[in-house]
Amino acid sequence: MTPTPTAPPVEAGRAAGVPRSPARRRRRRIGRFTPRDIAVIGLLLGLPLLLDLGLIWGPALASIGLSFTSWDGLGEIRPVGLDNYVNIVSNYPPFWPAVWHNLLWLAFLGLVATPFGLFLAVLLDREMRFTRFYQTAFYLPVVLSLAVVGFLAQLIFSRDYGVANAILGRTDNPVDWLGDPSINLWSVLLLVGWRHVGYVMLLYLAGLKAVDPVLKEAAAIDGANEAQTFFRVVFPTLRPVNVIVLVITVIEALRAFDVVYAINRGRNGLELLSVLVTDNIVGEASRIGYGSAIAVILLLISTGFIAVYLVQVFRREDEA
């Protein structure tokens, strides 16, 4: 009697319905990629990674390293330790005014422009008449670069031919909106806030559209008015949008450069840290190590605000 051939262990296990191991399934899926597929995947993943390293992380790490040196871009790189930071804090007059101006910039965008953008988003979420027109009108300034906003500031707030003095009837005794250090920063902040409001409005409007209407109906059934419904039900669901808005606000406030540079090269009351970085690295002084130290200080300030807020957000989520 001829013995019945037995199936190999793998085939027998497969016939019995035993699933393959995860490692074996991964090897089989990887084995299906052709060399061309692997090359395409490597190109699509590797090229953005190289660009990220070359354009973002590379210069950032180089700036941190150069901040501890003295270098003019041509001669020998000489280590100086913390001397650049000490000189910036104690012997560089424009530094502290620039820090104060950046903090004012951040406070204005965060406490004035951002809440106003949220307010406009709440109004537009009610589907009033001409909603599309209002959305376009409020968002239109966002497509303008800050350099263009700087030129608009000159047209509006110029002492001799500005629109502001003409509207106020101050042509005989004009106000120097951009030349007076006591008011020129606030004049610029009005236009910067005008641009920032549209961006914040669009982000919050997208978040409000994603809120489940059932939550609002349940709050109304429980007797909550519109204000209570918004602050206790709707606004907590906008936490992811709040994180995005915070990051954008901090970045917009601390990277501001174009608008003040287009007005008066960031001088006479419009000093900003980004302008000081440019003046030291690209200017006639060519103090690359000194400018890199200012850039590192700017990086620490920006990441500090964002890190503190994110820690608070994650802590609240863990407690909940």
Side-chain angles (χ1 to χ4, degrees):
M1 182 176 180
T2 305
T4 303
T6 59
V10 174
E11 297 297 332
R14 189 178 304 169
V18 179
R20 298 188 182 94
S21 65
R24 182 174 299 175
R25 289 198 299 269
R26 284 196 297 270
R27 287 196 300 269
R28 187 169 182 82
R29 285 197 297 268
I30 295 174
R32 293 176 181 174
F33 291 117
T34 65
R36 180 178 178 181
D37 296 333
I38 297 175
V40 171
I41 294 174
L43 181 64
L44 293 178
L45 296 179
L47 185 59
L49 180 61
L50 291 177
L51 291 175
D52 186 52
L53 293 175
L55 299 179
I56 298 177
W57 288 103
L61 295 176
S63 297
I64 295 174
L66 291 173
S67 67
F68 299 100
T69 66
S70 176
W71 185 41
D72 60 1
L74 297 175
E76 180 183 359
I77 300 177
R78 184 169 56 88
V80 295
L82 297 175
D83 289 352
N84 287 332
Y85 294 95
V86 174
N87 290 330
I88 288 171
V89 174
S90 59
N91 298 320
Y92 191 40
F95 174 71
W96 288 111
V99 172
W100 174 243
H101 294 162
N102 273 114
L103 293 178
L104 281 179
W105 208 290
L106 178 60
F108 183 84
L109 293 184
L111 301 178
V112 178
T114 297
F116 189 64
L118 175 60
F119 174 71
L120 293 179
V122 172
L123 292 180
L124 295 178
D125 186 51
R126 297 183 176 183
E127 299 294 341
M128 63 176 64
R129 295 182 61 186
F130 307 113
T131 298
R132 297 295 182 184
F133 171 77
Y134 293 135
Q135 290 180 18
T136 304
F138 289 132
Y139 186 74
L140 186 60
V142 181
V143 303
L144 302 177
S145 67
L146 286 175
V148 175
V149 174
F151 291 120
L152 289 177
Q154 291 180 326
L155 294 175
I156 296 173
F157 296 114
S158 173
R159 180 181 182 275
D160 299 323
Y161 54 85
V163 177
N165 283 327
I167 294 176
L168 296 175
R170 299 293 298 269
T171 55
D172 295 333
N173 186 20
V175 179
D176 196 358
W177 300 98
L178 299 178
D180 188 349
S182 63
I183 60 174
N184 56 3
L185 182 64
W186 302 105
S187 302
V188 173
L189 285 177
L190 285 177
L191 285 178
V192 173
W194 165 68
R195 181 179 181 272
H196 186 71
V197 162
Y199 199 4
V200 173
M201 176 209 69
L202 190 68
L203 293 174
Y204 274 121
L205 186 60
L208 290 172
K209 296 296 183 184
V211 175
D212 191 351
V214 176
L215 297 176
K216 300 179 183 179
E217 295 175 0
I221 293 174
D222 290 338
N225 56 35
E226 291 189 7
Q228 292 172 335
T229 300
F230 177 77
F231 287 107
R232 297 184 181 181
V233 177
V234 176
F235 191 72
T237 63
L238 298 176
R239 182 175 297 176
V241 182
N242 291 333
V243 174
I244 296 173
V245 170
L246 172 80
V247 173
I248 291 174
T249 301
V250 172
I251 292 174
E252 286 290 327
L254 298 181
R255 76 175 181 88
F257 169 80
D258 315 53
V259 57
V260 297
Y261 205 81
I263 293 173
N264 64 357
R265 300 176 67 87
R267 296 182 174 90
N268 191 31
L270 295 180
E271 296 85 359
L272 295 174
L273 289 174
S274 58
V275 176
L276 300 185
V277 173
T278 304
D279 287 343
N280 282 278
I281 293 180
V282 184
E284 297 179 359
S286 295
R287 298 187 297 178
I288 296 179
Y290 204 80
S292 298
I294 301 175
V296 172
I297 294 174
L298 181 60
L299 176 64
L300 293 176
I301 294 174
S302 59
T303 54
F305 279 104
I306 296 174
V308 169
Y309 181 80
L310 292 180
V311 167
Q312 295 296 326
V313 170
F314 293 144
R315 182 178 299 171
R316 292 173 188 170
E317 290 181 351
D318 293 338
E319 291 176 355

